[in-house]
C-alpha cells in the first residue's frame, strides 16, 4: 500500500476524524482541558451499550470454549494489544483459572508491552505465526483487537484462525472495518473522533477496556466462578487474599470471623468449599463431591443440599 493509499484509508476512519469540540484545546486552561476530556469520555458507555448484543454473542462462544477446555485468545498491536494482555493476565489471580486459559498476544512480543516496536503491526504473517506458536485449535476463540479495524497483524491472525475453524471476534471502533468483515462476530462501538486526533488510547481505548472486562467477567460468571456477586473461586495465597477470603465467607454465610477462619482452615483456604460447608454442614469430602456434581456452580451445589 502506498503512502497516498494509506492516507486515504485513514481519512475514512471515524477514529481518525478531527473533533470539532476540541479545535482550540491548545489554548484552554488546564481545568478546561480536563473537563473536555471528561465530557468526551461520558459518551463511551453509551457506545458500548449499543453493541451489547454482539458482546453477548461473543461471551456465549467463549463459555462454550471454556467448557471444552479450550482458550480465549486476545491478539492486537500497540494499545489494543496491551489491553488484551492486561485483561488476560488478570484472569488467573481474579478467578483462579489456570495460566493459559486466557491468552494475550501483542505484535512485537513482550518487549512491546513497554516499548513501541516499530513496524510490528504491519506484517500479517506475524499475526498468523503468533497463533501458530501457541498451537491454536478449532475449539479456541480468537478476539482480534484493533481500533482502526485495519491492522495487518490482526488481519493475518483472524484469517489464520478462520482457516482452522476457530470462532473469531473483531473488536474495533470503526464500523464496517476490515477485521469485522473477516470475523464471525463484529463488536464495533463508535465513540467518535478523539479529543486529540488519532490518539486512540483515549475514548477508543476506554471502550476496548470496558468490553474486554465484560467478555471475561461475564464468561467467568457463566462458568460458575461466582456466587451471588462474590468472587468465590478464590484460593488465598497471601495475607491480603486470606483476609479477603474470610470476608467473602462471612458475607456469603453471615458467619463470624472466627467461624470463617475455622472453615477456611478445613478447606485449605478454598472459599467455595468453605461457603458450601458453612451453609450445609457437609464434611470436606462430601462438599467436594457436591461441587463436582454441580459443575463447579456453588449456588447449584447449595440448592441440591438444602432443597
Amino acid at each position: 500500500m502506498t503512502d497516498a493509499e494509506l492516507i486515504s484509508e485513514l481519512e475514512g476512519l471515524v477514529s481518525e476524524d478531527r473533533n470539532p469540540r476540541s479545535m482550540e484545546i491548545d489554548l484552554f486552561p488546564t481545568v478546561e482541558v480536563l473537563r473536555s476530556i471528561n465530557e468526551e469520555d461520558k459518551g463511551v458507555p453509551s457506545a458500548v451499550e449499543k453493541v451489547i448484543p454482539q458482546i453477548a454473542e461473543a461471551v456465549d462462544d467463549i463459555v462454550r470454549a471454556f467448557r471444552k477446555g479450550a482458550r480465549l485468545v486476545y491478539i492486537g498491536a500497540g494499545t489494543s494489544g496491551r489491553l488484551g494482555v492486561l485483561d488476560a493476565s488478570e484472569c488467573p489471580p481474579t478467578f483462579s483459572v489456570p495460566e493459559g486459559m486466557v491468552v494475550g498476544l501483542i505484535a512485537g512480543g513482550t518487549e512491546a508491552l513497554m516499548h513501541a516496536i516499530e513496524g510490528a503491526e504491519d506484517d500479517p504473517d506475524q499475526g498468523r505465526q503468533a497463533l501458530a506458536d501457541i498451537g491454536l485449535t478449532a475449539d479456541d476463540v480468537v478476539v482480534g483487537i484493533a481500533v482502526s479495524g485495519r491492522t495487518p497483524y490482526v488481519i493475518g491472525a483472524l484469517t489464520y484462525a478462520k482457516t482452522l475453524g476457530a470462532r473469531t471476534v473483531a473488536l474495533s471502533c470503526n464500523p464496517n472495518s476490515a477485521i469485522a468483515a473477516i470475523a464471525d462476530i463484529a463488536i464495533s462501538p463508535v465513540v467518535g473522533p478523539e479529543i486529540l486526533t488519532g490518539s486512540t488510547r483515549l475514548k477508543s481505548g476506554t471502550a476496548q477496556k470496558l468490553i474486554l472486562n465484560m467478555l471475561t467477567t461475564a464468561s467467568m460468571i457463566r462458568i460458575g466462578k461466582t456466587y451471588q456477586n462474590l468472587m468465590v473461586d478464590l484460593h488465598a495465597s497471601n495475607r491480603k487474599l486470606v483476609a479477603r477470603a474470610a470476608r467473602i465467607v462471612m458475607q456469603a454465610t453471615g458467619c463470624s470471623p472466627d467461624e470463617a477462619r475455622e472453615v477456611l482452615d478445613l478447606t485449605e483456604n478454598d472459599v467455595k468449599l468453605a461457603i458450601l460447608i458453612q451453609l450445609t454442614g457437609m464434611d470436606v469430602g462430601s462438599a467436594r463431591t457436591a461441587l463436582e456434581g454441580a459443575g463447579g456452580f456453588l449456588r447449584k451445589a447449595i440448592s441440591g443440599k438444602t432443597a
Side-chain angles (χ1 to χ4, degrees), residues 7 24 59 72 85 94 97 119 127 159 170 219 222 225 229 250-251:
I7 289 171
E24 308 296 326
V59 167
L72 165 61
V85 171
T94 303
V97 298
T159 301
S219 296
R222 298 295 296 153
K225 294 292 182 179
N229 63 348
M250 293 164 61
Q251 289 171 318

Side-chain angles (χ1 to χ4, degrees), residues 270-287:
D270 186 316
V271 174
K272 263 190 182 179
L273 278 178
I275 293 170
L276 183 54
I277 290 168
Q278 188 66 26
L279 289 177
T280 66
M282 287 188 287
D283 59 41
V284 174
S286 298

Side-chain angles (χ1 to χ4, degrees), residues 13 24-26 44 77 83 116 130 133 140 154 160-161 173 175 181 187 213 253-254 265 276 283 296 302:
L13 300 178
E24 308 296 326
I25 197 168
D26 57 331
V44 175
L83 289 171
D133 287 345
D140 296 324
V154 178
Y160 174 70
C173 292
I187 302 173
N213 283 349
T253 69
D265 287 342
L276 183 54
D283 59 41
I302 293 168

Side-chain angles (χ1 to χ4, degrees), residues 62 66 70-76 80-92 97-106 130-131 133-136 140-145 153 212 216 220:
I62 294 164
F66 286 165
R71 299 168 293 180
L72 165 61
V73 181
Y74 293 135
I75 188 162
S80 296
R82 293 184 189 98
L83 289 171
V85 171
L86 173 63
D87 197 65
S89 68
E90 289 177 340
C91 287
V97 298
E99 297 284 346
M101 183 171 164
V102 183
V103 178
L105 301 173
I106 182 171
L131 294 182
D133 287 345
I134 65 166
L136 190 77
D140 296 324
V141 174
V142 177
V143 179
I145 315 169
Y153 177 82
L212 296 177
T216 46
M220 296 299 173

Side-chain angles (χ1 to χ4, degrees), residues 177-255:
S177 68
I179 63 172
I182 296 168
D184 298 304
I185 302 166
I187 302 173
S188 307
V190 180
V191 298
E194 301 287 358
I195 198 160
L196 295 180
T197 304
S199 183
T200 53
R201 71 185 183 87
L202 299 174
K203 290 190 299 183
S204 298
T206 299
Q208 289 179 327
K209 181 66 168 71
L210 291 176
I211 290 168
L212 296 177
N213 283 349
M214 294 168 84
L215 289 176
T216 46
T217 302
S219 296
M220 296 299 173
I221 291 170
R222 298 295 296 153
I223 64 171
K225 294 292 182 179
T226 61
Y227 171 63
Q228 299 171 349
N229 63 348
L230 298 170
M231 298 185 299
V232 294
D233 217 331
L234 171 70
H235 294 270
S237 57
N238 59 42
R239 290 184 64 189
K240 181 186 78 172
L241 291 179
V242 168
R244 179 179 291 167
R247 188 163 181 266
I248 289 171
V249 173
M250 293 164 61
Q251 289 171 318
T253 69
C255 72

Side-chain angles (χ1 to χ4, degrees), residues 43-153:
V44 175
S46 295
V48 172
E49 181 182 16
K50 291 180 174 66
V51 296
I52 283 177
Q54 291 76 36
I55 299 170
E57 188 179 355
V59 167
D60 288 342
D61 278 346
I62 294 164
V63 169
R64 280 190 286 270
F66 286 165
R67 287 175 176 162
K68 294 177 183 177
R71 299 168 293 180
L72 165 61
V73 181
Y74 293 135
I75 188 162
T79 297
S80 296
R82 293 184 189 98
L83 289 171
V85 171
L86 173 63
D87 197 65
S89 68
E90 289 177 340
C91 287
T94 303
F95 298 106
S96 293
V97 298
E99 297 284 346
M101 183 171 164
V102 183
V103 178
L105 301 173
I106 182 171
T110 54
E111 186 179 351
L113 294 173
M114 296 292 293
H115 306 284
I117 306 297
E118 300 297 336
E121 69 176 54
D122 294 331
D123 187 351
D125 196 54
Q126 285 192 29
R128 180 202 65 78
Q129 189 60 51
L131 294 182
D133 287 345
I134 65 166
L136 190 77
T137 74
D139 289 333
D140 296 324
V141 174
V142 177
V143 179
I145 315 169
V147 169
S148 67
R150 57 153 305 277
T151 304
Y153 177 82

